[in-house]
Amino acid sequence: MKLYKLSLALVLGLGMLASCGDKLELVNPNQQTTGTFGFNADDLEESVIAAYNHIRMEGSYARVGYMIDVCRGDEAWNSSQVWYLPFDDLNAPVTHDISFWPWREWYYTINVCNFGISRCGDNDAVLSERMRRIKGQMLFLRALSYYNLAGYYQNPPLITDYAGYSTLDGLYGKNSSYDEVLDQVERDFQEAMTLLPSRDAGGEWAGGRATSGAAAGYYARTLMQRHKYSEALAVLKDIIGKKYGTYKLMPNYGDNFREGSKYENNAESLFEVQFLDKDSQGTDDEWTPVNTSVNATQGSAIESNFAPGVYGGWADVSASPWLYQLFKQERTIKGKLDPRLYWTIGTYETDWEGFENGNVGYTKPMTATDTVVTNNNNGGLPIAKNTNMRTGLYDKVVTGLHDGINLRLMRYSDVLLRAAECENELNGPTQQAIDWINQVRQRAGLVGLKLADFPTADKLFEQIANVERPKEFGCEFGRGFDLIRWGFFYSADRLQQLKEHGTFRRSVHHAKDAVSYTQVGIDPELKSSYDTYAQGHEFLPIVQELTNKNPNLEGNSANYGSNNATYFQGKGWTVRPVVSLGH
């Protein structure tokens, strides 16, 4: 059930009628305050819905908040060379306004969650089942917010006490450390795991609400951001063992990127952002948290960002030639291309004749002579994922917040590949790690990996990090978080590898061709995003407007151009060396 068909307003509630002597005192139900609202489960359910609403706004997952991380990954590049360019070039200035938008949205979400959590009390044992579920969802969404804030801004203020908002010191928080924020994220996800039902409970728990499985999955992700592999592996094994609900890979990879009740909130999805199907939406784009139009579109603009200009898209982001060539290096058992390529990159391939909807772009047949590129001026390989380029539903892009495809933020394939990574980190290459990887490969029809081919943990890590994960999750949110936790910005060899992966051609010709970083500077059409990486800018700067207004707030590594290798190495973490896989 789509949650956003319900009211999005936090302050709606029943009017209160009271007598005082011979005077009649009325409370306007549309102008309630924290003194009159939020003291029962009905009110708090409205707060829960308001919090869910905030995660599908412009700066969270409806557009910019999602796209920034896609751009800072090495498997995508900014084909418009305008929007998102500072994030693709990893050198956003402190005055860059768009850098503020995720900050804005996630603190809006946190504000609502802090209010709801404050009404639930500290003793979970005395809560009714309904109140446990309300608190669990609030904890999950607050943890999700801080997970994103830490991943983007490194050291944001940690604000968890709603009562503290009554003072300026509470409103103008000072920076918390990266570790302090993630400590809180871990605590919130852990508690949410104990309060929420599994997706097996059915109803809305199987149709869009945060569940114990979603909390467990994100808890494991958070642990891995700080190399807590043993703890993370235990949680991931519990998910695989169905402790938090029943999950499995969908037989058809493409079912994770279509709209409609037949495909969304499926058995592979641990958590996804709910957007209304395109033909069920309103007419008013609702970009920011302060807009609450009753006719809101309640879709995302991800499709508009990805889709080629020839189909009406904004043509902002393309897949990297490295990702395309990676797909072409390995064929299935039946000698065909990896089917994930079909759903990830919208190119014509002879293998797609008779496969799914065939060689099609927005219901229009593509031919071998077609040169469909993302941007009419700068070219680029079109990203098909989370668009309707391959679904056969629509003949063009309706720009704005109209994409009805739910964003699957965590899938069961991620659980399997993360479990394999943790196993490898703890015990080196093992058959168990290989088996988890092969479950994902089997779905794609690929030959299973053999343990004998991976004599070292370094080699298996290379396979996971730069083959399995990009082919499974290419052009999805999360790659930037991975690059940070792996420390790829703190090793000369790994940074060089990123430069090679991030090389692309600014031309409407030869978009599919392999490119070489060695030719950057020689061939004027070639560029590498990571050539412009400024130290500390694996994170976004805390914008100057915020530090000007808040005397307690300081910048982060991006503001000061500082090297985060000191933090990484001080934890005793090492960056695994680049290993040739012999392709």
Side-chain angles (χ1 to χ4, degrees):
M1 177 178 180
K2 299 286 188 173
L3 296 175
Y4 311 117
K5 292 183 179 178
L6 303 174
S7 167
L8 305 181
L10 169 62
V11 296
L12 293 181
L14 295 175
M16 297 177 64
L17 185 63
S19 62
C20 181
D22 58 353
K23 295 182 179 179
L24 184 66
E25 183 177 328
L26 293 174
V27 176
N28 186 338
N30 296 312
Q31 293 181 341
Q32 292 202 51
T33 69
T34 54
T36 62
F37 179 84
F39 293 98
N40 58 66
D42 287 340
D43 282 357
L44 291 177
E45 183 62 38
E46 295 290 338
S47 298
V48 170
I49 294 166
Y52 279 116
N53 180 49
H54 286 311
I55 74 170
R56 34 93 30 216
M57 289 291 183
E58 163 79 283
S60 46
Y61 291 126
R63 183 169 68 144
V64 166
Y66 187 92
M67 298 305 303
I68 287 173
D69 191 69
V70 176
C71 284
R72 69 177 174 177
D74 52 352
E75 82 281 44
W77 64 281
N78 175 247
S79 49
S80 72
Q81 293 290 282
V82 182
W83 266 84
Y84 308 108
L85 189 60
F87 313 121
D88 189 42
D89 287 348
L90 290 102
N91 60 6
V94 297
T95 54
H96 194 257
D97 178 60
I98 300 173
S99 298
F100 163 69
W101 295 359
W103 179 287
R104 174 192 67 197
E105 251 76 281
W106 290 120
Y107 274 111
Y108 265 102
T109 311
I110 288 165
N111 180 38
V112 175
C113 292
N114 282 344
F115 170 78
I117 292 168
S118 74
R119 289 292 197 254
C120 293
D122 297 327
N123 187 356
D124 294 344
V126 302
L127 296 177
S128 67
E129 181 180 33
R130 188 180 181 196
M131 288 294 291
R132 286 172 61 85
R133 293 179 175 188
I134 286 171
K135 185 177 182 181
Q137 290 172 93
M138 292 291 201
L139 287 166
F140 174 86
L141 293 170
R142 183 172 74 179
L144 180 67
S145 301
Y146 275 122
Y147 177 84
N148 281 280
L149 284 167
Y152 272 169
Y153 301 103
Q154 188 181 22
N155 60 352
L158 184 60
I159 304 171
T160 59
D161 181 14
Y162 188 78
Y165 294 168
S166 62
T167 68
L168 284 179
D169 286 340
L171 288 171
Y172 291 101
K174 65 178 182 180
N175 304 77
S176 299
S177 71
Y178 185 70
D179 285 320
E180 288 171 334
V181 176
L182 290 186
D183 282 345
Q184 183 65 48
V185 172
E186 288 179 18
R187 287 193 294 269
D188 282 355
F189 280 138
Q190 271 189 298
E191 188 176 356
M193 288 160 61
T194 69
L195 295 172
L196 293 171
S198 76
R199 62 170 290 127
D200 296 349
E204 290 185 336
W205 305 105
R209 290 185 183 266
T211 62
S212 58
Y218 267 94
Y219 179 45
R221 277 188 177 178
T222 308
L223 291 167
M224 291 179 72
Q225 286 300 126
R226 292 188 291 173
H227 296 217
K228 298 181 181 182
Y229 297 115
S230 180
E231 295 172 62
L233 182 57
V235 177
L236 293 165
K237 282 182 175 180
D238 281 341
I239 298 172
I240 294 169
K242 300 180 172 57
K243 179 177 180 179
Y244 301 106
T246 304
Y247 298 99
K248 62 181 180 180
L249 298 177
M250 297 298 292
N252 188 332
Y253 178 76
D255 287 354
N256 295 303
F257 309 102
R258 309 182 207 246
E259 71 174 50
S261 59
K262 181 179 178 181
Y263 308 108
E264 294 171 326
N265 302 303
N266 62 40
E268 186 169 341
S269 179
L270 274 75
F271 186 68
E272 59 193 69
V273 186
Q274 309 293 306
F275 294 113
L276 289 183
D277 294 345
K278 192 177 289 186
D279 58 3
S280 303
Q281 297 179 13
T283 56
D284 298 339
D285 285 342
E286 186 179 73
W287 292 100
T288 66
V290 296
N291 294 329
T292 54
S293 168
V294 295
N295 296 312
T297 50
Q298 297 187 30
S300 85
I302 305 304
E303 177 175 37
S304 296
N305 284 142
F306 284 163
V310 69
Y311 300 123
W314 292 336
D316 285 323
V317 185
S318 294
S320 70
W322 165 69
L323 181 62
Y324 178 76
Q325 294 298 327
L326 187 65
F327 274 115
K328 300 283 281 189
Q329 287 173 3
E330 184 178 14
R331 295 239 163 202
T332 68
I333 294 172
K334 296 181 179 180
K336 298 294 185 179
L337 288 171
D338 188 326
R340 294 174 295 185
L341 172 59
Y342 182 84
W343 290 101
T344 304
I345 305 177
T347 56
Y348 174 91
E349 310 289 341
T350 56
D351 283 17
W352 301 151
E353 296 301 326
F355 177 77
E356 295 284 354
N357 291 312
N359 278 300
V360 64
Y362 289 91
T363 70
K364 299 175 179 65
M366 299 170 65
T367 69
T369 58
D370 285 334
T371 55
V372 174
V373 293
T374 308
N375 190 281
N376 294 337
N377 297 316
N378 297 314
L381 294 166
I383 297 174
K385 189 172 284 184
N386 290 315
T387 79
N388 284 292
M389 187 170 186
R390 301 296 204 187
T391 65
L393 291 178
Y394 307 104
D395 62 1
K396 64 177 181 294
V397 180
V398 180
T399 56
L401 292 167
H402 293 272
D403 184 3
I405 300 171
N406 285 1
L407 293 176
R408 283 70 155 180
L409 293 183
M410 188 168 193
R411 297 187 278 113
Y412 185 58
S413 56
D414 191 38
V415 172
L416 293 170
L417 291 182
R418 283 178 179 272
E421 183 182 340
C422 289
E423 173 72 11
N424 186 55
E425 292 292 338
L426 295 168
N427 303 311
T430 66
Q431 189 59 51
Q432 177 63 88
I434 296 293
D435 288 346
W436 281 325
I437 295 170
N438 282 343
Q439 286 188 50
V440 180
R441 291 174 62 83
Q442 182 180 15
R443 194 252 299 271
L446 301 177
V447 175
L449 301 181
K450 296 179 180 178
L451 179 60
D453 293 332
F454 296 92
T456 66
D458 287 338
K459 188 170 185 180
L460 186 56
F461 171 81
E462 194 76 36
Q463 180 75 26
I464 294 169
N466 284 322
V467 178
E468 305 303 335
R469 290 194 67 83
K471 288 206 289 187
E472 180 69 16
F473 307 113
C475 305
E476 295 180 51
F477 180 95
R479 182 70 173 178
F481 284 71
D482 286 343
L483 299 181
I484 289 172
R485 69 184 176 87
W486 291 330
F488 280 12
F489 294 96
Y490 318 132
S491 157
D493 288 347
R494 285 297 185 187
L495 189 55
Q496 179 62 32
Q497 185 183 61
L498 291 178
K499 291 179 180 181
E500 293 167 358
H501 291 177
T503 301
F504 55 87
R505 180 177 297 280
R506 291 173 294 185
S507 171
V508 297
H509 306 292
H510 309 294
K512 291 182 179 181
D513 292 356
V515 292
S516 172
Y517 177 73
T518 60
Q519 297 302 302
V520 174
I522 299 173
D523 185 337
E525 291 184 341
L526 294 182
K527 177 185 175 182
S528 176
S529 301
Y530 294 89
D531 269 345
T532 48
Y533 162 67
Q535 190 168 264
H537 281 256
E538 61 271 28
F539 296 99
L540 301 180
I542 297 175
V543 296
Q544 187 171 323
E545 181 181 358
L546 285 171
T547 56
N548 286 345
K549 291 180 178 179
N550 181 354
N552 299 320
L553 188 64
E554 298 179 353
N556 59 21
S557 63
N559 292 73
Y560 303 125
S562 54
N563 190 345
N564 290 307
T566 302
Y567 168 86
F568 193 89
Q569 295 163 355
K571 292 288 187 178
W573 305 336
T574 57
V575 183
R576 289 201 175 273
V578 176
V579 175
S580 173
L581 293 172
H583 292 309

